[in-house]
Amino acid sequence: TRAGRGETKMGSGKPHGIRAGRKLRIRRRNARWADNDYKKAHLGTVWKSNPFQGASHSKGIVVERLGIEAKQPNSAIRKSVRVQLIKNGKKITAFVPRDGCLNFIDENDEVLVAGFGRSGHAVGDIPGVRFKVVKVAGTGLLALFKEKKEKPRS
């Protein structure tokens, strides 16, 4: 015999009936916290742990210029800078895109930093670098690279 609506089936674990709505809703609410994607979206720790604190870009001061070795099987020194963010004082490593653009950046310059395109993940063969430099001293890095603008004298 098949267990119908009136008979109890062992181990169904779910309340049935016309007044079971609140119980079902509360159980579902509690069970959703076991899902890591839901937890990440709703706990609010993303805003605390993210150096940008939810913003798309952030300004900072260049602390030092450094070269980071690419991961295997590639062999290169990727040019990057250590930046201390103005808004919260956190230090991050930011990649400097394009050939020779590190020459436009000096220490103590103010740079605008953006994400690297994988929302919090390192890109390609550059280990641990999640950000890139967009502007130097208020001038776009691409404009400096294409020689459309010059870096302002400060």
Side-chain angles (χ1 to χ4, degrees):
T1 59
R2 208 175 88 241
R5 291 292 292 138
E7 305 165 40
T8 56
K9 188 168 68 172
M10 290 290 288
S12 81
K14 185 192 298 183
H16 298 287
I18 196 165
R19 302 199 191 286
R22 179 185 289 119
K23 184 101 178 171
L24 287 168
R25 192 175 72 224
I26 290 169
R27 277 191 175 193
R28 171 58 42 222
R29 188 193 307 150
N30 291 336
R32 285 180 84 177
W33 287 102
D35 179 15
N36 281 334
D37 291 331
Y38 178 86
K39 197 179 248 183
K40 186 177 180 183
H42 291 81
L43 259 183
T45 51
V46 176
W47 311 126
K48 293 176 190 165
S49 60
N50 178 8
F52 284 8
Q53 296 174 334
S56 62
H57 295 66
S58 190
K59 277 186 178 179
I61 306 292
V62 175
V63 180
E64 63 175 326
R65 301 157 39 154
L66 35 101
I68 293 176
E69 286 191 27
K71 284 197 228 166
Q72 286 292 348
N74 294 347
S75 173
I77 293 174
R78 305 284 180 221
K79 308 302 183 281
S80 55
V81 287
R82 289 285 288 168
V83 177
Q84 185 164 16
L85 299 181
I86 293 170
K87 71 193 294 183
N88 53 22
K90 287 186 179 176
K91 286 185 180 161
I92 59 171
T93 307
F95 175 68
V96 182
R98 296 188 190 84
D99 189 11
C101 278
L102 189 65
N103 299 330
F104 297 122
I105 300 176
D106 302 313
E107 287 191 17
N108 301 321
D109 272 354
E110 187 180 86
V111 291
L112 183 70
V113 181
F116 211 170
R118 279 194 62 199
S119 47
H121 293 278
V123 176
D125 62 3
I126 314 168
V129 179
R130 298 158 43 194
F131 308 100
K132 67 179 176 189
V133 176
V134 183
K135 283 184 171 184
V136 187
T139 311
L141 205 58
L142 184 60
L144 291 169
F145 178 70
K146 289 182 172 177
E147 297 179 357
K148 290 186 183 294
K149 286 185 181 176
E150 282 189 20
K151 192 172 151 186
R153 302 271 175 260
S154 57

